[in-house]
Amino acid sequence: MLTHEDLKAAVERVVGRPMDDWLDRYVTTSEVPSVPEDPGLFSQPSGEPDGDGDGIANIVEQQRNVSSPFLADTDGDGLDDGSEFANGSDPTATDTDGDGLGDAAEVRVHGTNPNATDTDGDGFSDSAELDRYETDPTAADTDDDGVSDETEVIEHGSDPTVEDSDGDGLDDGVEIDQHSTDPTTVDTDGDGLDDGVEVTEHDTDPTLIDTDGDGLTDGEEVNEFETDPNTENDEEEVRATPTATLTPTSSTTQTPTETVTGTDSETPGFGVPAAFTALGCLVAARRYAGQ
């Protein structure tokens, strides 16, 4: 037996909207409206297969009992019902997945899935990626450095939009996975050499301040003493002779010469032999004077 509630539910399914108390006023009583309060309530689906032009035939919308055959965009979110069904979103909800982004914006602007809160599956919701981190909600690793966006932010504090957060010459993924260095610190071990310089130029350990364990930091060996930071040196000897590794100067020394100024040209002095000759003359002169 068809009840009044059954009739009301059937009518609401056809028109695609709540009837409120309209049926109660004009079906269960003898009152007859002279003019419909809402003419739209009395309209019928047009004879066209798709009366509202949303890409879905009227009969299909009625059978699905979800969207309205009278409205191209049932929820008014800017995405017509046909597009909503094609993308798996709810034509009666403006934000199907509840991620803070409207269905229309997800489909037409960002290219994200309106039916998934985290389109790329990196651990951040689509809205968080766009509004907070400025990352790509369709790419799990925005900067393509080998570390997912969430891992960079939550675990390492690195920038998910920059391959090399600290600018030391090593990508964040390389620092984390290959060298166990800090992707947010240029010089992880604080030895005075950038991580990238240690790895690419000196083959030293960027996590050890003194790679060869000789008591001299890698930075001291490279920048001050010019010794090999991978070969153990005698710390005391090196510190006592900072220039020990410099190319030694020639053992041949030149005797400086004196110059005589005040003439048109500078001329060498007499030198050692001339000095002895002058001294002999002085002694002979004194002897002669004493006679």
Side-chain angles (χ1 to χ4, degrees):
M1 178 179 177
L2 183 65
T3 65
H4 174 67
E5 292 300 323
D6 292 333
L7 175 61
K8 183 176 180 180
V11 172
E12 289 182 346
R13 282 198 298 272
V14 172
V15 300
R17 67 181 70 176
M19 296 299 294
D20 298 325
D21 64 345
W22 191 91
L23 287 177
D24 295 331
R25 291 171 56 191
Y26 301 120
V27 175
T28 62
T29 69
S30 59
E31 184 178 357
V32 178
S34 57
V35 178
E37 294 182 351
D38 182 356
L41 295 177
F42 299 96
S43 63
Q44 296 295 323
S46 68
E48 298 294 329
D50 179 14
D52 56 13
D54 61 0
I56 307 174
N58 294 334
I59 189 171
V60 174
E61 293 204 71
Q62 292 171 358
Q63 290 173 343
R64 286 177 173 173
N65 192 29
V66 177
S67 57
S68 169
F70 302 101
L71 300 172
D73 181 9
T74 299
D75 54 16
D77 63 357
L79 196 63
D80 63 54
D81 297 342
S83 297
E84 298 242 27
F85 280 117
N87 287 281
S89 54
D90 184 347
T92 66
T94 58
D95 180 11
T96 299
D97 53 17
D99 63 357
L101 299 174
D103 294 341
E106 294 216 52
V107 172
R108 294 177 175 170
V109 179
H110 307 296
T112 49
N113 186 348
N115 204 36
T117 58
D118 180 11
T119 298
D120 55 17
D122 63 357
F124 285 145
S125 69
D126 296 340
S127 59
E129 296 218 49
L130 291 168
D131 300 333
R132 187 181 309 170
Y133 303 112
E134 298 182 351
T135 48
D136 184 349
T138 66
D141 180 10
T142 297
D143 55 14
D144 196 30
D145 62 359
V147 187
S148 72
D149 296 341
E150 185 193 37
T151 300
E152 291 215 54
V153 173
I154 302 301
E155 296 185 21
H156 303 289
S158 51
D159 188 339
T161 65
V162 178
E163 293 182 9
D164 181 8
S165 294
D166 54 17
D168 62 359
L170 299 176
D171 287 353
D172 297 342
V174 172
E175 295 217 50
I176 294 169
D177 298 329
Q178 297 182 27
H179 303 292
S180 299
T181 48
D182 185 347
T184 66
T185 302
V186 174
D187 180 8
T188 297
D189 53 16
D191 61 359
L193 296 177
D194 292 356
D195 295 340
V197 171
E198 294 215 50
V199 171
T200 62
E201 295 185 22
H202 302 291
D203 196 29
T204 49
D205 189 336
T207 65
L208 292 177
I209 192 171
D210 178 12
T211 298
D212 54 19
D214 60 3
L216 301 169
T217 69
D218 296 340
E220 287 180 317
E221 297 213 51
V222 171
N223 299 323
E224 184 176 349
F225 302 116
E226 299 182 6
T227 51
D228 185 352
N230 290 294
T231 301
E232 187 173 354
N233 297 280
D234 185 319
E235 179 186 6
E236 184 176 350
E237 179 180 349
V238 170
R239 292 190 185 281
T241 313
T243 58
T245 60
L246 296 178
T247 302
T249 58
S250 174
S251 58
T252 302
T253 59
Q254 296 180 346
T255 302
T257 58
E258 299 176 359
T259 57
V260 179
T261 60
T263 61
D264 292 339
S265 62
E266 295 182 348
T267 58
F270 291 104
V272 174
F276 278 109
T277 301
L279 180 60
C281 291
L282 178 62
V283 171
R286 286 183 176 177
R287 288 179 177 176
Y288 178 77
Q291 289 180 352

